[in-house]
Amino acid sequence: MRRVLLSVLTGLFITGASAVTPAVAEPKGGAATAYGAPSKLGARDVINEIIDVVGLKPRFEVRAANVPNAAAVIMNGQRYILYNENFVNSLNTALRTDWAGISILAHEIGHHLNGHTLSKGGSNQQDELEADEFSGFVLRKMGASLSEAQAAIKVLADDEDSYTHPGKSSRLTAISKGWRNAHDQILASAKAGTPNRTVAGINRPVASEPAVATVANTKRSTSTSSRKMPAQYIMRQVKLQSLPNERIFVTTSFSLVRETDQGMEVIGKLQKTNNRNFPYMLESRYFNALFVSTEGILLNEEGRKVGVLTTT
């Protein structure tokens, strides 16, 4: 069955896969020149389901295109998920489950959300495993069994490692790791207790912090102390080149807050990724997503340095 599928479908993330991770103006060979309507697989709005699971804004567009299988790319500063509609439909039909197609899209979304498209080095084994782990995590959150989450890779991945992609066994292990992490979260969701977290080299326990919101009531005190976040709840200060006078902080519960004359305003959050080089990203309505390097450098979606995380 695997031989028949491979002859019909082309290798998932293998042929043409170098278009997956580099930040390029266009995919190799200019393959993605014609775009279809925004993607929906069957009656399910899969992209919104995936985004709902991870709690992030979909800062990319999904399009059916004439690519070999699927790819995460940056073109003209815009992030895209491109997929071959016939390939995905044939895969779902052959495996008799739409989880196969969903895992493809989740894998590619994982490349974007983990910052892999910031790298100019092309596909590599570590990035592919991180995207596989993300796919497993997402599919468990969406209700897939481990077998369903692994269905596409079981059939399409090569047994041996290549220069850009790990072999089947490693990829199935990565998907299983993500799936089990999500499964453990689901089981523990009702339990109390918050683990320690590390941000850009600082290991601090997550403390309960006071509610922070914009204070509009003019009768409330406007003393300096009432307008500032207590130091024990601040993990890092965010310094942006485009907003040099703004006082923005990451709190110990990973909230992103801005200091105003009226009080503290929640403007976003710090999200964990699976990327070893960019372990966190900042999501805010104030600015586009920013990736945080292991040194606390902030980069935009084009890979340009736009600020830093510092101690206060």
Side-chain angles (χ1 to χ4, degrees), residues 250-301:
V250 176
T251 74
T252 51
S253 66
F254 282 20
S255 295
L256 192 63
V257 300
R258 171 176 170 260
E259 189 177 289
T260 73
D261 290 338
Q262 290 75 39
M264 302 304 298
E265 176 187 14
V266 178
I267 61 171
K269 55 189 173 182
L270 188 70
Q271 293 275 359
K272 196 175 187 308
T273 75
N274 288 324
N275 191 340
R276 65 198 181 283
N277 296 318
F278 304 99
Y280 292 89
M281 66 184 297
L282 291 174
E283 279 279 321
S284 175
R285 57 187 173 83
Y286 246 57
F287 43 76
N288 290 333
L290 300 179
F291 291 91
V292 184
S293 75
T294 53
E295 294 80 24
I297 306 299
L298 301 178
L299 294 89
N300 64 14
E301 294 169 340

Side-chain angles (χ1 to χ4, degrees), residues 29 58 60 70 84 106-107 112 149 156 213 218 260 270 275 282 284 305 309:
F60 48 80
N84 184 312
H107 176 100
H112 274 318
L156 296 170
T218 57
T260 73
L270 188 70
N275 191 340
L282 291 174
S284 175
K305 178 181 175 181
L309 291 185

Side-chain angles (χ1 to χ4, degrees), residues 211-275:
V212 285
T214 302
V215 180
N217 190 342
T218 57
K219 293 182 180 181
R220 181 169 177 172
S221 168
T222 57
S223 67
T224 301
S225 61
S226 69
R227 289 185 276 113
K228 291 187 176 181
M229 171 68 70
Q232 66 265 34
Y233 301 117
I234 295 175
M235 185 179 292
R236 288 287 192 177
Q237 183 170 0
V238 180
K239 293 190 175 181
L240 299 174
Q241 296 171 2
S242 61
L243 300 169
N245 298 320
E246 293 284 356
R247 288 177 58 80
I248 301 173
F249 304 97
V250 176
T251 74
T252 51
S253 66
F254 282 20
S255 295
L256 192 63
V257 300
R258 171 176 170 260
E259 189 177 289
T260 73
D261 290 338
Q262 290 75 39
M264 302 304 298
E265 176 187 14
V266 178
I267 61 171
K269 55 189 173 182
L270 188 70
Q271 293 275 359
K272 196 175 187 308
T273 75
N274 288 324
N275 191 340

